[in-house]
PDB file of all heavy atoms in Angstrom:
ATOM      1  N   PRO A1256       0.786  -1.235   0.000  1.00 93.00           N
ATOM      2  CA  PRO A1256       0.000   0.000   0.000  1.00 93.00           C
ATOM      3  C   PRO A1256       0.819   1.287   0.000  1.00 93.00           C
ATOM      4  O   PRO A1256       0.352   2.306  -0.479  1.00 93.00           O
ATOM      5  CB  PRO A1256      -0.844  -0.091   1.266  1.00 93.00           C
ATOM      6  CG  PRO A1256      -0.782  -1.506   1.702  1.00 93.00           C
ATOM      7  CD  PRO A1256       0.469  -2.097   1.136  1.00 93.00           C
ATOM      8  N   ALA A1257       2.035   1.245   0.532  1.00 94.00           N
ATOM      9  CA  ALA A1257       2.833   2.466   0.640  1.00 94.00           C
ATOM     10  C   ALA A1257       3.878   2.611  -0.469  1.00 94.00           C
ATOM     11  O   ALA A1257       4.650   3.561  -0.456  1.00 94.00           O
ATOM     12  CB  ALA A1257       3.525   2.511   2.000  1.00 94.00           C
ATOM     13  N   MET A1258       3.882   1.693  -1.434  1.00 95.00           N
ATOM     14  CA  MET A1258       4.879   1.776  -2.504  1.00 95.00           C
ATOM     15  C   MET A1258       4.625   3.013  -3.368  1.00 95.00           C
ATOM     16  O   MET A1258       3.507   3.244  -3.829  1.00 95.00           O
ATOM     17  CB  MET A1258       4.830   0.549  -3.403  1.00 95.00           C
ATOM     18  CG  MET A1258       5.818   0.620  -4.561  1.00 95.00           C
ATOM     19  SD  MET A1258       5.677  -0.772  -5.685  1.00 95.00           S
ATOM     20  CE  MET A1258       6.497  -2.010  -4.707  1.00 95.00           C
ATOM     21  N   PRO A1259       5.666   3.827  -3.588  1.00 96.00           N
ATOM     22  CA  PRO A1259       5.494   4.985  -4.465  1.00 96.00           C
ATOM     23  C   PRO A1259       5.272   4.536  -5.912  1.00 96.00           C
ATOM     24  O   PRO A1259       5.954   3.632  -6.403  1.00 96.00           O
ATOM     25  CB  PRO A1259       6.823   5.739  -4.350  1.00 96.00           C
ATOM     26  CG  PRO A1259       7.547   5.143  -3.202  1.00 96.00           C
ATOM     27  CD  PRO A1259       6.995   3.770  -2.995  1.00 96.00           C
ATOM     28  N   VAL A1260       4.298   5.149  -6.566  1.00 95.00           N
ATOM     29  CA  VAL A1260       3.979   4.840  -7.960  1.00 95.00           C
ATOM     30  C   VAL A1260       3.839   6.151  -8.720  1.00 95.00           C
ATOM     31  O   VAL A1260       3.221   7.098  -8.231  1.00 95.00           O
ATOM     32  CB  VAL A1260       2.663   4.026  -8.075  1.00 95.00           C
ATOM     33  CG1 VAL A1260       2.261   3.831  -9.520  1.00 95.00           C
ATOM     34  CG2 VAL A1260       2.793   2.685  -7.367  1.00 95.00           C
ATOM     35  N   ILE A1261       4.435   6.185  -9.905  1.00 95.00           N
ATOM     36  CA  ILE A1261       4.257   7.316 -10.823  1.00 95.00           C
ATOM     37  C   ILE A1261       3.445   6.786 -11.988  1.00 95.00           C
ATOM     38  O   ILE A1261       3.826   5.801 -12.627  1.00 95.00           O
ATOM     39  CB  ILE A1261       5.603   7.865 -11.316  1.00 95.00           C
ATOM     40  CG1 ILE A1261       6.412   8.415 -10.140  1.00 95.00           C
ATOM     41  CG2 ILE A1261       5.384   8.953 -12.378  1.00 95.00           C
ATOM     42  CD1 ILE A1261       7.835   8.791 -10.499  1.00 95.00           C
ATOM     43  N   LEU A1262       2.312   7.415 -12.256  1.00 92.00           N
ATOM     44  CA  LEU A1262       1.424   6.998 -13.334  1.00 92.00           C
ATOM     45  C   LEU A1262       1.396   8.095 -14.392  1.00 92.00           C
ATOM     46  O   LEU A1262       0.927   9.203 -14.136  1.00 92.00           O
ATOM     47  CB  LEU A1262       0.021   6.737 -12.780  1.00 92.00           C
ATOM     48  CG  LEU A1262      -0.991   6.108 -13.708  1.00 92.00           C
ATOM     49  CD1 LEU A1262      -0.496   4.774 -14.265  1.00 92.00           C
ATOM     50  CD2 LEU A1262      -2.304   5.901 -12.975  1.00 92.00           C
ATOM     51  N   ALA A1263       1.937   7.781 -15.564  1.00 91.00           N
ATOM     52  CA  ALA A1263       1.978   8.735 -16.668  1.00 91.00           C
ATOM     53  C   ALA A1263       0.770   8.514 -17.575  1.00 91.00           C
ATOM     54  O   ALA A1263       0.379   7.376 -17.832  1.00 91.00           O
ATOM     55  CB  ALA A1263       3.267   8.560 -17.462  1.00 91.00           C
ATOM     56  N   SER A1264       0.200   9.622 -18.045  1.00 87.00           N
ATOM     57  CA  SER A1264      -0.948   9.485 -18.929  1.00 87.00           C
ATOM     58  C   SER A1264      -1.147  10.740 -19.763  1.00 87.00           C
ATOM     59  O   SER A1264      -1.033  11.849 -19.263  1.00 87.00           O
ATOM     60  CB  SER A1264      -2.220   9.237 -18.118  1.00 87.00           C
ATOM     61  OG  SER A1264      -3.336   9.120 -18.985  1.00 87.00           O
ATOM     62  N   GLY A1265      -1.438  10.518 -21.019  1.00 83.00           N
ATOM     63  CA  GLY A1265      -1.837  11.598 -21.897  1.00 83.00           C
ATOM     64  C   GLY A1265      -3.350  11.636 -22.004  1.00 83.00           C
ATOM     65  O   GLY A1265      -3.945  12.627 -22.399  1.00 83.00           O
ATOM     66  N   ARG A1266      -3.964  10.532 -21.630  1.00 74.00           N
ATOM     67  CA  ARG A1266      -5.424  10.417 -21.629  1.00 74.00           C
ATOM     68  C   ARG A1266      -5.787   9.174 -20.829  1.00 74.00           C
ATOM     69  O   ARG A1266      -4.934   8.357 -20.511  1.00 74.00           O
ATOM     70  CB  ARG A1266      -5.978  10.296 -23.041  1.00 74.00           C
ATOM     71  CG  ARG A1266      -5.405   9.114 -23.785  1.00 74.00           C
ATOM     72  CD  ARG A1266      -5.789   9.136 -25.249  1.00 74.00           C
ATOM     73  NE  ARG A1266      -5.113   8.007 -25.876  1.00 74.00           N
ATOM     74  CZ  ARG A1266      -5.713   7.049 -26.527  1.00 74.00           C
ATOM     75  NH1 ARG A1266      -7.014   7.068 -26.667  1.00 74.00           N
ATOM     76  NH2 ARG A1266      -5.036   6.075 -27.063  1.00 74.00           N
ATOM     77  N   GLY A1267      -7.039   9.048 -20.470  1.00 61.00           N
ATOM     78  CA  GLY A1267      -7.481   7.868 -19.748  1.00 61.00           C
ATOM     79  C   GLY A1267      -7.694   8.073 -18.258  1.00 61.00           C
ATOM     80  O   GLY A1267      -8.140   7.184 -17.577  1.00 61.00           O
ATOM     81  N   LEU A1268      -7.388   9.275 -17.756  1.00 66.00           N
ATOM     82  CA  LEU A1268      -7.609   9.546 -16.336  1.00 66.00           C
ATOM     83  C   LEU A1268      -8.579  10.702 -16.127  1.00 66.00           C
ATOM     84  O   LEU A1268      -8.741  11.179 -15.011  1.00 66.00           O
ATOM     85  CB  LEU A1268      -6.271   9.870 -15.640  1.00 66.00           C
ATOM     86  CG  LEU A1268      -5.258   8.747 -15.604  1.00 66.00           C
ATOM     87  CD1 LEU A1268      -3.948   9.232 -14.983  1.00 66.00           C
ATOM     88  CD2 LEU A1268      -5.786   7.559 -14.836  1.00 66.00           C
ATOM     89  N   GLU A1269      -9.226  11.128 -17.196  1.00 63.00           N
ATOM     90  CA  GLU A1269     -10.143  12.258 -17.106  1.00 63.00           C
ATOM     91  C   GLU A1269     -11.205  11.987 -16.051  1.00 63.00           C
ATOM     92  O   GLU A1269     -11.829  10.940 -16.033  1.00 63.00           O
ATOM     93  CB  GLU A1269     -10.844  12.520 -18.453  1.00 63.00           C
ATOM     94  CG  GLU A1269      -9.914  12.932 -19.560  1.00 63.00           C
ATOM     95  CD  GLU A1269      -9.218  11.755 -20.237  1.00 63.00           C
ATOM     96  OE1 GLU A1269      -9.577  10.594 -19.985  1.00 63.00           O
ATOM     97  OE2 GLU A1269      -8.289  12.021 -21.015  1.00 63.00           O
ATOM     98  N   GLY A1270     -11.372  12.937 -15.150  1.00 64.00           N
ATOM     99  CA  GLY A1270     -12.390  12.821 -14.118  1.00 64.00           C
ATOM    100  C   GLY A1270     -11.954  12.004 -12.910  1.00 64.00           C
ATOM    101  O   GLY A1270     -12.662  11.966 -11.918  1.00 64.00           O
ATOM    102  N   LEU A1271     -10.818  11.354 -12.977  1.00 66.00           N
ATOM    103  CA  LEU A1271     -10.357  10.538 -11.861  1.00 66.00           C
ATOM    104  C   LEU A1271      -9.275  11.218 -11.039  1.00 66.00           C
ATOM    105  O   LEU A1271      -8.919  10.735  -9.973  1.00 66.00           O
ATOM    106  CB  LEU A1271      -9.808   9.189 -12.372  1.00 66.00           C
ATOM    107  CG  LEU A1271     -10.790   8.285 -13.098  1.00 66.00           C
ATOM    108  CD1 LEU A1271     -10.070   7.067 -13.651  1.00 66.00           C
ATOM    109  CD2 LEU A1271     -11.892   7.846 -12.154  1.00 66.00           C
ATOM    110  N   ASP A1272      -8.734  12.345 -11.545  1.00 65.00           N
ATOM    111  CA  ASP A1272      -7.587  12.954 -10.855  1.00 65.00           C
ATOM    112  C   ASP A1272      -7.887  13.282  -9.398  1.00 65.00           C
ATOM    113  O   ASP A1272      -7.041  13.094  -8.552  1.00 65.00           O
ATOM    114  CB  ASP A1272      -7.064  14.222 -11.488  1.00 65.00           C
ATOM    115  CG  ASP A1272      -7.461  14.504 -12.894  1.00 65.00           C
ATOM    116  OD1 ASP A1272      -8.292  13.814 -13.442  1.00 65.00           O
ATOM    117  OD2 ASP A1272      -6.885  15.455 -13.416  1.00 65.00           O
ATOM    118  N   SER A1273      -9.091  13.777  -9.090  1.00 67.00           N
ATOM    119  CA  SER A1273      -9.367  14.151  -7.703  1.00 67.00           C
ATOM    120  C   SER A1273      -9.353  12.917  -6.796  1.00 67.00           C
ATOM    121  O   SER A1273      -8.840  12.969  -5.685  1.00 67.00           O
ATOM    122  CB  SER A1273     -10.694  14.889  -7.586  1.00 67.00           C
ATOM    123  OG  SER A1273     -11.741  14.091  -8.064  1.00 67.00           O
ATOM    124  N   ASP A1274      -9.897  11.797  -7.251  1.00 69.00           N
ATOM    125  CA  ASP A1274      -9.859  10.560  -6.464  1.00 69.00           C
ATOM    126  C   ASP A1274      -8.435  10.055  -6.308  1.00 69.00           C
ATOM    127  O   ASP A1274      -8.029   9.617  -5.233  1.00 69.00           O
ATOM    128  CB  ASP A1274     -10.706   9.466  -7.117  1.00 69.00           C
ATOM    129  CG  ASP A1274     -12.185   9.770  -7.072  1.00 69.00           C
ATOM    130  OD1 ASP A1274     -12.622  10.516  -6.170  1.00 69.00           O
ATOM    131  OD2 ASP A1274     -12.911   9.262  -7.942  1.00 69.00           O
ATOM    132  N   LEU A1275      -7.666  10.116  -7.380  1.00 76.00           N
ATOM    133  CA  LEU A1275      -6.296   9.599  -7.357  1.00 76.00           C
ATOM    134  C   LEU A1275      -5.381  10.457  -6.488  1.00 76.00           C
ATOM    135  O   LEU A1275      -4.430   9.952  -5.900  1.00 76.00           O
ATOM    136  CB  LEU A1275      -5.746   9.504  -8.769  1.00 76.00           C
ATOM    137  CG  LEU A1275      -6.463   8.510  -9.683  1.00 76.00           C
ATOM    138  CD1 LEU A1275      -5.920   8.597 -11.102  1.00 76.00           C
ATOM    139  CD2 LEU A1275      -6.342   7.095  -9.146  1.00 76.00           C
ATOM    140  N   LYS A1276      -5.673  11.741  -6.382  1.00 77.00           N
ATOM    141  CA  LYS A1276      -4.835  12.632  -5.568  1.00 77.00           C
ATOM    142  C   LYS A1276      -4.955  12.327  -4.084  1.00 77.00           C
ATOM    143  O   LYS A1276      -4.141  12.782  -3.294  1.00 77.00           O
ATOM    144  CB  LYS A1276      -5.174  14.095  -5.864  1.00 77.00           C
ATOM    145  CG  LYS A1276      -4.650  14.522  -7.220  1.00 77.00           C
ATOM    146  CD  LYS A1276      -4.961  15.958  -7.518  1.00 77.00           C
ATOM    147  CE  LYS A1276      -4.455  16.297  -8.915  1.00 77.00           C
ATOM    148  NZ  LYS A1276      -4.839  17.598  -9.362  1.00 77.00           N
ATOM    149  N   ARG A1277      -5.928  11.534  -3.699  1.00 85.00           N
ATOM    150  CA  ARG A1277      -6.075  11.137  -2.292  1.00 85.00           C
ATOM    151  C   ARG A1277      -5.020  10.111  -1.883  1.00 85.00           C
ATOM    152  O   ARG A1277      -4.798   9.890  -0.706  1.00 85.00           O
ATOM    153  CB  ARG A1277      -7.459  10.557  -2.041  1.00 85.00           C
ATOM    154  CG  ARG A1277      -8.537  11.593  -2.139  1.00 85.00           C
ATOM    155  CD  ARG A1277      -9.879  11.020  -1.737  1.00 85.00           C
ATOM    156  NE  ARG A1277     -10.911  11.906  -2.213  1.00 85.00           N
ATOM    157  CZ  ARG A1277     -12.033  11.510  -2.767  1.00 85.00           C
ATOM    158  NH1 ARG A1277     -12.288  10.227  -2.896  1.00 85.00           N
ATOM    159  NH2 ARG A1277     -12.918  12.379  -3.174  1.00 85.00           N
ATOM    160  N   ASP A1278      -4.398   9.467  -2.862  1.00 87.00           N
ATOM    161  CA  ASP A1278      -3.362   8.466  -2.589  1.00 87.00           C
ATOM    162  C   ASP A1278      -2.034   9.203  -2.414  1.00 87.00           C
ATOM    163  O   ASP A1278      -1.468   9.702  -3.391  1.00 87.00           O
ATOM    164  CB  ASP A1278      -3.281   7.478  -3.753  1.00 87.00           C
ATOM    165  CG  ASP A1278      -2.305   6.338  -3.506  1.00 87.00           C
ATOM    166  OD1 ASP A1278      -1.391   6.484  -2.663  1.00 87.00           O
ATOM    167  OD2 ASP A1278      -2.438   5.304  -4.176  1.00 87.00           O
ATOM    168  N   PRO A1279      -1.511   9.286  -1.189  1.00 90.00           N
ATOM    169  CA  PRO A1279      -0.291  10.062  -0.949  1.00 90.00           C
ATOM    170  C   PRO A1279       0.959   9.448  -1.593  1.00 90.00           C
ATOM    171  O   PRO A1279       1.978  10.112  -1.702  1.00 90.00           O
ATOM    172  CB  PRO A1279      -0.167  10.072   0.571  1.00 90.00           C
ATOM    173  CG  PRO A1279      -0.894   8.844   1.012  1.00 90.00           C
ATOM    174  CD  PRO A1279      -2.006   8.643   0.017  1.00 90.00           C
ATOM    175  N   ASN A1280       0.866   8.204  -2.023  1.00 93.00           N
ATOM    176  CA  ASN A1280       2.015   7.521  -2.621  1.00 93.00           C
ATOM    177  C   ASN A1280       1.905   7.405  -4.140  1.00 93.00           C
ATOM    178  O   ASN A1280       2.622   6.630  -4.763  1.00 93.00           O
ATOM    179  CB  ASN A1280       2.186   6.140  -1.992  1.00 93.00           C
ATOM    180  CG  ASN A1280       2.464   6.245  -0.515  1.00 93.00           C
ATOM    181  OD1 ASN A1280       3.375   6.945  -0.106  1.00 93.00           O
ATOM    182  ND2 ASN A1280       1.660   5.590   0.295  1.00 93.00           N
ATOM    183  N   LEU A1281       0.992   8.174  -4.712  1.00 91.00           N
ATOM    184  CA  LEU A1281       0.795   8.172  -6.158  1.00 91.00           C
ATOM    185  C   LEU A1281       1.096   9.557  -6.715  1.00 91.00           C
ATOM    186  O   LEU A1281       0.580  10.554  -6.214  1.00 91.00           O
ATOM    187  CB  LEU A1281      -0.644   7.791  -6.503  1.00 91.00           C
ATOM    188  CG  LEU A1281      -1.019   7.857  -7.981  1.00 91.00           C
ATOM    189  CD1 LEU A1281      -0.230   6.833  -8.793  1.00 91.00           C
ATOM    190  CD2 LEU A1281      -2.510   7.628  -8.153  1.00 91.00           C
ATOM    191  N   THR A1282       1.928   9.593  -7.739  1.00 90.00           N
ATOM    192  CA  THR A1282       2.217  10.837  -8.443  1.00 90.00           C
ATOM    193  C   THR A1282       1.689  10.691  -9.866  1.00 90.00           C
ATOM    194  O   THR A1282       2.031   9.729 -10.556  1.00 90.00           O
ATOM    195  CB  THR A1282       3.732  11.119  -8.478  1.00 90.00           C
ATOM    196  OG1 THR A1282       4.213  11.204  -7.136  1.00 90.00           O
ATOM    197  CG2 THR A1282       4.043  12.407  -9.212  1.00 90.00           C
ATOM    198  N   LEU A1283       0.844  11.614 -10.277  1.00 88.00           N
ATOM    199  CA  LEU A1283       0.340  11.628 -11.651  1.00 88.00           C
ATOM    200  C   LEU A1283       1.278  12.473 -12.504  1.00 88.00           C
ATOM    201  O   LEU A1283       1.649  13.579 -12.113  1.00 88.00           O
ATOM    202  CB  LEU A1283      -1.070  12.193 -11.700  1.00 88.00           C
ATOM    203  CG  LEU A1283      -2.112  11.418 -10.896  1.00 88.00           C
ATOM    204  CD1 LEU A1283      -3.453  12.137 -10.946  1.00 88.00           C
ATOM    205  CD2 LEU A1283      -2.242   9.999 -11.404  1.00 88.00           C
ATOM    206  N   LEU A1284       1.644  11.957 -13.652  1.00 89.00           N
ATOM    207  CA  LEU A1284       2.579  12.636 -14.542  1.00 89.00           C
ATOM    208  C   LEU A1284       1.913  12.799 -15.907  1.00 89.00           C
ATOM    209  O   LEU A1284       1.858  11.858 -16.692  1.00 89.00           O
ATOM    210  CB  LEU A1284       3.867  11.809 -14.659  1.00 89.00           C
ATOM    211  CG  LEU A1284       5.002  12.407 -15.465  1.00 89.00           C
ATOM    212  CD1 LEU A1284       5.461  13.730 -14.863  1.00 89.00           C
ATOM    213  CD2 LEU A1284       6.168  11.418 -15.518  1.00 89.00           C
ATOM    214  N   PRO A1285       1.343  13.985 -16.167  1.00 88.00           N
ATOM    215  CA  PRO A1285       0.672  14.202 -17.451  1.00 88.00           C
ATOM    216  C   PRO A1285       1.665  14.199 -18.608  1.00 88.00           C
ATOM    217  O   PRO A1285       2.779  14.697 -18.477  1.00 88.00           O
ATOM    218  CB  PRO A1285       0.026  15.580 -17.302  1.00 88.00           C
ATOM    219  CG  PRO A1285       0.223  16.006 -15.898  1.00 88.00           C
ATOM    220  CD  PRO A1285       1.274  15.146 -15.289  1.00 88.00           C
ATOM    221  N   LYS A1286       1.243  13.616 -19.729  1.00 89.00           N
ATOM    222  CA  LYS A1286       2.063  13.623 -20.949  1.00 89.00           C
ATOM    223  C   LYS A1286       1.580  14.737 -21.851  1.00 89.00           C
ATOM    224  O   LYS A1286       0.394  15.044 -21.840  1.00 89.00           O
ATOM    225  CB  LYS A1286       1.919  12.292 -21.693  1.00 89.00           C
ATOM    226  CG  LYS A1286       2.573  11.132 -20.995  1.00 89.00           C
ATOM    227  CD  LYS A1286       2.747   9.990 -21.952  1.00 89.00           C
ATOM    228  CE  LYS A1286       1.755   8.891 -21.735  1.00 89.00           C
ATOM    229  NZ  LYS A1286       1.861   7.795 -22.656  1.00 89.00           N
ATOM    230  N   PRO A1287       2.444  15.283 -22.633  1.00 92.00           N
ATOM    231  CA  PRO A1287       3.881  15.020 -22.691  1.00 92.00           C
ATOM    232  C   PRO A1287       4.584  15.663 -21.504  1.00 92.00           C
ATOM    233  O   PRO A1287       4.105  16.649 -20.941  1.00 92.00           O
ATOM    234  CB  PRO A1287       4.319  15.662 -23.999  1.00 92.00           C
ATOM    235  CG  PRO A1287       3.351  16.776 -24.218  1.00 92.00           C
ATOM    236  CD  PRO A1287       2.049  16.317 -23.600  1.00 92.00           C
ATOM    237  N   PHE A1288       5.709  15.079 -21.099  1.00 93.00           N
ATOM    238  CA  PHE A1288       6.478  15.645 -19.999  1.00 93.00           C
ATOM    239  C   PHE A1288       7.944  15.733 -20.393  1.00 93.00           C
ATOM    240  O   PHE A1288       8.405  15.035 -21.279  1.00 93.00           O
ATOM    241  CB  PHE A1288       6.322  14.827 -18.704  1.00 93.00           C
ATOM    242  CG  PHE A1288       6.619  13.361 -18.851  1.00 93.00           C
ATOM    243  CD1 PHE A1288       7.913  12.885 -18.750  1.00 93.00           C
ATOM    244  CD2 PHE A1288       5.594  12.456 -19.084  1.00 93.00           C
ATOM    245  CE1 PHE A1288       8.198  11.535 -18.869  1.00 93.00           C
ATOM    246  CE2 PHE A1288       5.857  11.103 -19.207  1.00 93.00           C
ATOM    247  CZ  PHE A1288       7.162  10.642 -19.104  1.00 93.00           C
ATOM    248  N   THR A1289       8.635  16.638 -19.729  1.00 96.00           N
ATOM    249  CA  THR A1289      10.060  16.813 -19.981  1.00 96.00           C
ATOM    250  C   THR A1289      10.846  15.882 -19.056  1.00 96.00           C
ATOM    251  O   THR A1289      10.310  15.375 -18.055  1.00 96.00           O
ATOM    252  CB  THR A1289      10.503  18.259 -19.699  1.00 96.00           C
ATOM    253  OG1 THR A1289      10.292  18.527 -18.302  1.00 96.00           O
ATOM    254  CG2 THR A1289       9.729  19.268 -20.554  1.00 96.00           C
ATOM    255  N   LEU A1290      12.096  15.686 -19.370  1.00 97.00           N
ATOM    256  CA  LEU A1290      12.961  14.891 -18.522  1.00 97.00           C
ATOM    257  C   LEU A1290      13.064  15.530 -17.131  1.00 97.00           C
ATOM    258  O   LEU A1290      13.038  14.835 -16.107  1.00 97.00           O
ATOM    259  CB  LEU A1290      14.343  14.752 -19.163  1.00 97.00           C
ATOM    260  CG  LEU A1290      15.278  13.724 -18.566  1.00 97.00           C
ATOM    261  CD1 LEU A1290      14.660  12.347 -18.528  1.00 97.00           C
ATOM    262  CD2 LEU A1290      16.573  13.685 -19.362  1.00 97.00           C
ATOM    263  N   HIS A1291      13.123  16.853 -17.106  1.00 97.00           N
ATOM    264  CA  HIS A1291      13.172  17.574 -15.831  1.00 97.00           C
ATOM    265  C   HIS A1291      11.935  17.265 -14.987  1.00 97.00           C
ATOM    266  O   HIS A1291      12.030  17.014 -13.785  1.00 97.00           O
ATOM    267  CB  HIS A1291      13.302  19.079 -16.090  1.00 97.00           C
ATOM    268  CG  HIS A1291      13.309  19.897 -14.841  1.00 97.00           C
ATOM    269  ND1 HIS A1291      14.365  19.912 -13.953  1.00 97.00           N
ATOM    270  CD2 HIS A1291      12.365  20.711 -14.316  1.00 97.00           C
ATOM    271  CE1 HIS A1291      14.074  20.710 -12.933  1.00 97.00           C
ATOM    272  NE2 HIS A1291      12.868  21.210 -13.136  1.00 97.00           N
TER     273      HIS A1291
END
């Protein structure tokens, strides 16, 4: 449950971001993204 996860998406998470932001160990990474 506490494993850090980065989930990248250009689509497919519409409307779910608020629910997903409740997970303190989940980072959402919108595409496109830079290396930085």
Side-chain angles (χ1 to χ4, degrees):
M1258 178 184 284
V1260 174
I1261 297 171
L1262 188 57
S1264 179
R1266 58 189 176 123
L1268 296 176
E1269 296 82 10
L1271 298 175
D1272 343 8
S1273 59
D1274 292 334
L1275 296 174
K1276 287 181 182 173
R1277 291 186 197 138
D1278 185 338
N1280 298 307
L1281 175 65
T1282 301
L1283 299 176
L1284 184 61
K1286 289 197 256 178
F1288 53 85
T1289 63
L1290 192 55
H1291 178 71

